Amino acid sequence: MPNFGNFIAKFWQFKKDLIILLPENGNKMKFGEKLKELRLSKQLTQRQIADELGVAPSIYNRFEKNERKVKREFLSKLAVLLDIHEEDLTKYWIADQVYKLLENESNPQYVISMVAEDLTEYGIKNL
């Protein structure tokens, strides 16, 4: 029989990680907006970031506007450039993917609860 207390702790950590995109005003911050916020805080231009990633500035601009998905392989370099832990940036990126999957669902809370419950069945143990 599964440890119910352990499940609850893991579930709340999972939900906490998913809502990392919620700023104080309660509005969901998309990944691109987070990139822009971090870039501006480091006083970097879009061209500087684009050059480091090896993409055209127009492509990077679309990342910040949430018009184009950032490739996962860019996360490591972006984390260094934007002075954020790669794990934290990856959480923002994954959470944004989850939000996009659930944005038109009628009951996203149920889906999140179901996924949190099933994570260990899929071999995902660290929450």
Side-chain angles (χ1 to χ4, degrees):
M1 177 143 194
N3 179 333
F4 186 70
N6 189 30
F7 166 75
I8 294 296
K10 286 182 178 184
F11 174 72
W12 285 111
Q13 181 61 47
F14 177 74
K15 284 183 74 172
K16 183 177 134 193
D17 288 346
L18 278 180
I19 62 170
I20 196 168
L21 291 174
L22 295 175
E24 289 180 17
N25 65 8
N27 295 325
K28 180 176 64 171
M29 178 179 284
K30 295 180 179 177
F31 184 73
E33 294 165 349
K34 186 64 179 174
L35 286 179
K36 183 176 181 177
E37 175 188 280
L38 291 167
R39 177 182 58 79
L40 292 174
S41 75
K42 296 297 167 194
Q43 299 180 335
L44 296 168
T45 66
Q46 288 183 343
R47 178 173 293 284
Q48 288 172 309
I49 301 289
D51 288 347
E52 290 293 327
L53 295 177
V55 300
S58 60
I59 298 290
Y60 182 79
N61 178 272
R62 292 180 67 202
F63 292 159
E64 286 190 2
K65 291 181 176 180
N66 296 298
E67 294 174 355
R68 185 171 177 143
K69 182 180 171 184
V70 174
K71 293 180 182 177
R72 188 177 190 126
E73 56 262 25
F74 288 156
L75 296 180
S76 179
K77 190 170 271 194
L78 281 167
V80 172
L81 293 168
L82 300 173
D83 194 27
I84 184 172
H85 287 96
E86 185 176 351
E87 182 178 317
D88 291 337
L89 190 62
T90 301
K91 286 179 186 178
Y92 283 103
W93 184 83
I94 292 170
D96 196 55
Q97 306 312 306
V98 172
Y99 284 127
K100 287 175 185 170
L101 284 171
L102 297 177
E103 68 186 348
N104 295 317
E105 296 300 322
S106 60
N107 195 353
Q109 295 85 357
Y110 174 75
V111 174
I112 294 297
S113 297
M114 187 176 79
V115 169
E117 186 175 321
D118 292 342
L119 282 175
T120 54
E121 290 180 30
Y122 285 96
I124 302 171
K125 296 179 180 155
N126 309 4
L127 283 180

